[in-house]
Amino acid sequence: GGSVTLLFECFPGNDFNVMLFGAGHVGSALVAILKQLPCRLKWVDSRDNQHQDPDTLPANVTAIVSESPADEVASMPSGSYYIIMTYNHQMDFDILETVLRRGDASYVGLIGSTTKWKRFTLRLEQKGYDEKSYQHVHCPVGINNVPGKHPMEVAVSVAAEVIGVRHSTDRLKHHRAGVSWPELEDAVKVLASVQDNSTGKSLHVSQ
């Protein structure tokens, strides 16, 4: 006789989609971090020669030059992450409004001060958006524990926020879509019933 114990552990998915608007100092510093994460990153700017040499970018990063960055939002799948940090406030607003209009983002981060955000929310309200449609926007972007203003400090702060939201989303999705323990236990019992009789071993499951 004997026994075999199976331990089932669940791990979050490895892929998520990010669209970063802005190839300035902060954007470049942020790409240096995000490119190391298990994400597909589209890096958008309206200006030529702002991105680093595309040949030096890893396979999961795509540099895009677009005269109308807001139009690039349409290419993203549902549940994407959007980080908005261009050189132009009107461009930021246009991108933000396009993302909000879609209504399917997992994360929206907007660089800027609280004053900028108040102006943006006022404009959104004047356009008919209610508070629920934009209350999830992170502005100022980044975590409060990293208050520095140097490009890499801001980049670290933003990346930390994105990672935190990503893991929170993974846990929520797993909770909603995961297989229940009774279902899993029943499945293992079926496996146990067809095990090789020659072993004479019983099958136990650890949660």
Side-chain angles (χ1 to χ4, degrees), residues 13-59:
N14 289 326
D15 295 322
F16 62 107
N17 296 280
V18 181
M19 180 164 276
L20 169 62
F21 298 91
H25 296 303
V26 176
S28 297
L30 184 54
V31 168
I33 301 173
L34 295 180
K35 70 181 183 181
Q36 302 176 67
L37 299 179
C39 70
R40 289 179 291 272
L41 173 61
K42 290 186 177 181
W43 188 15
V44 184
D45 200 282
S46 62
R47 302 163 294 177
D48 290 324
N49 303 317
Q50 286 297 308
H51 303 91
Q52 66 186 76
D53 186 351
D55 293 335
T56 67
L57 294 174

Side-chain angles (χ1 to χ4, degrees), residues 1-4 195 199-204:
S3 65
V4 176
Q195 65 178 314
T199 65
K201 296 180 178 180
S202 60
L203 192 65
H204 302 284

Side-chain angles (χ1 to χ4, degrees), residues 16-17 73-82 102-106 173:
F16 62 107
N17 296 280
V73 172
S75 69
M76 297 297 283
S78 176
S80 293
Y81 289 58
Y82 299 91
R102 278 191 56 156
D104 61 358
S106 289
K173 286 181 178 179

Side-chain angles (χ1 to χ4, degrees), residues 15 29 66 82 84 95 101 125 130 154 198:
D15 295 322
S66 173
Y82 299 91
I84 307 168
I95 295 167
R101 196 180 299 126
E125 289 169 1
D130 59 37
V154 177
S198 65

Side-chain angles (χ1 to χ4, degrees), residues 9-12 169-179:
E9 294 187 81
C10 301
F11 299 92
T169 303
D170 277 339
R171 286 194 295 270
L172 181 60
K173 286 181 178 179
H174 178 70
H175 176 73
R176 289 177 174 175
V179 178

Side-chain angles (χ1 to χ4, degrees), residues 3 15-17 31-33 44 58 66 86 90 99 107 123 126 128-129 133 138 152 177 180 197 205:
S3 65
D15 295 322
F16 62 107
N17 296 280
V31 168
I33 301 173
V44 184
S66 173
T86 78
Q90 182 58 50
V99 172
Y107 171 87
R123 292 180 62 184
Q126 290 173 342
Y129 291 87
S133 66
H138 296 261
M152 185 52 71
S180 68
N197 292 329
V205 185

